[in-house]
Amino acid sequence: MLSVIIPASNEAGYIGGCLTALFASGDLGAEVVVVANGCRDATAEVARGYASAAAAAGWGFSVLDLAEGGKPNALNAGDGAARGDLRAYLDADVVVSPKLMAQVIAALTVEAPRYVAGTPRIPRPRSAVTRAYARFWQTLPFAQSKAGGYGFFAVNAAGRARWGAFPRIISDDTFVRLQFLPEERVQVAASYDWPMIEGFAALTRVRRRQDAGVAEIDRLYPGLLAREGKLPLTKPQLLRLMLRDPVGFATYAAVSLAVRLKRGSGWTRGR
């Protein structure tokens, strides 16, 4: 059985769309565990309002309401409540396509350890700066690597045995992906919408956090980044991309420069 765990902190405006799309997958004999954590809004209440929709779609459904915030804590609580041998971890602002979960289940139904992700799609951003950044970002080799797992990833039982509790680190998704060699990662064709945060300042904060997360993993788990398997960006490739989209390049470069000029740490919302 597939258990979908959704950590949700102050996601009252997004959790409904996430759940509606998930239940449109049909009756797969699956369950969803929403983990509202440290919320100052009605995330848990809104989520509980979808219990009847879950039942109608044939999904098991539960909502945990934790006073303590923190995504690793929410993920661990969700794992503790989940019943399935297959585990998927879904951000509350992600919208899956109807075929994604069935394809994920099929890809995970093997004895060997597997890490599975869908094909991410960035919805059209509202702000011009995020549109330019996202357009250029999607052309970079590391953004096009197989099974990136941005906002959504899943593992089978043998894969979940690769690590214990989620550690209290910034980049839990990168940590999990690197438990698997590139040949153990599978990207299915079905897509999901992964929104990018709006505005220059927000992009800079999130990019700074992402860089800090990678540095933290390199410090705490020496050698783990060697499993990444992402293609490097060569200077000739960068020049071609820059000439093809000078506005996108300038926006991406400006965000990168802003990150270098001011370092920061701590949790930042991914949108």
Side-chain angles (χ1 to χ4, degrees):
M1 182 177 77
L2 175 69
S3 293
V4 181
I5 297 166
I6 306 177
S9 181
N10 298 320
E11 302 284 6
Y14 292 86
I15 191 65
C18 178
L19 292 172
T20 297
L22 196 59
F23 299 148
S25 304
D27 187 352
L28 302 174
E31 69 169 358
V32 60
V33 180
V34 177
V35 188
N37 61 100
C39 294
R40 299 181 302 277
D41 67 2
T43 296
E45 181 181 353
V46 172
R48 290 189 185 104
Y50 284 82
S52 59
W59 281 68
F61 184 70
S62 61
V63 177
L64 307 181
D65 192 0
L66 308 182
E68 180 184 355
K71 189 177 179 183
N73 179 59
L75 291 169
N76 288 325
D79 262 339
R83 298 175 296 146
D85 54 337
L86 310 179
R87 300 290 170 90
Y89 303 91
L90 177 67
D91 285 357
D93 59 345
V94 167
V95 175
V96 303
S97 63
K99 296 182 179 180
L100 178 58
M101 290 303 163
Q103 291 184 12
V104 166
I105 291 172
L108 289 175
T109 308
V110 294
E111 292 186 5
R114 282 290 180 272
Y115 171 98
V116 177
T119 300
R121 190 187 77 87
I122 300 177
R124 178 179 170 81
R126 298 187 303 274
S127 65
V129 66
T130 299
R131 286 197 297 272
Y133 183 93
R135 186 176 63 244
F136 188 81
W137 180 84
Q138 290 177 91
T139 67
L140 296 173
F142 62 79
Q144 297 180 340
S145 60
K146 182 179 71 173
Y150 318 115
F152 170 75
F153 60 87
V155 297
N156 60 6
R160 185 61 186 86
R162 290 278 175 90
W163 78 99
F166 281 90
R168 290 182 176 273
I169 58 175
I170 298 170
S171 190
D172 55 273
D173 51 353
T174 300
F175 171 80
V176 171
R177 189 174 70 253
L178 296 181
Q179 304 302 311
F180 299 83
L181 297 172
E183 58 268 25
E184 296 175 314
R185 305 174 204 152
V186 175
Q187 180 169 316
V188 298
S191 66
Y192 62 95
D193 285 355
W194 179 67
M196 191 168 279
I197 198 166
E198 300 283 352
F200 185 85
L203 285 168
T204 302
R205 288 196 305 271
V206 170
R207 175 72 178 278
R208 185 179 297 127
R209 175 179 178 269
Q210 290 169 344
D211 289 355
V214 173
E216 181 183 45
I217 287 176
D218 194 32
R219 184 179 72 253
L220 297 177
Y221 307 97
L224 196 59
L225 289 177
R227 293 185 172 190
E228 186 62 85
K230 290 181 178 179
L231 297 174
L233 178 64
T234 66
K235 290 183 178 179
Q237 284 177 313
L238 180 59
L239 179 60
R240 287 195 296 271
L241 294 175
M242 179 180 66
L243 294 174
R244 187 182 306 164
D245 185 3
V247 174
F249 169 77
T251 305
Y252 185 86
V255 170
S256 300
L257 179 61
V259 169
R260 292 181 181 180
L261 290 176
K262 183 179 180 181
R263 294 290 179 179
S265 61
W267 185 86
T268 303
R269 185 176 298 280
R271 55 164 165 69

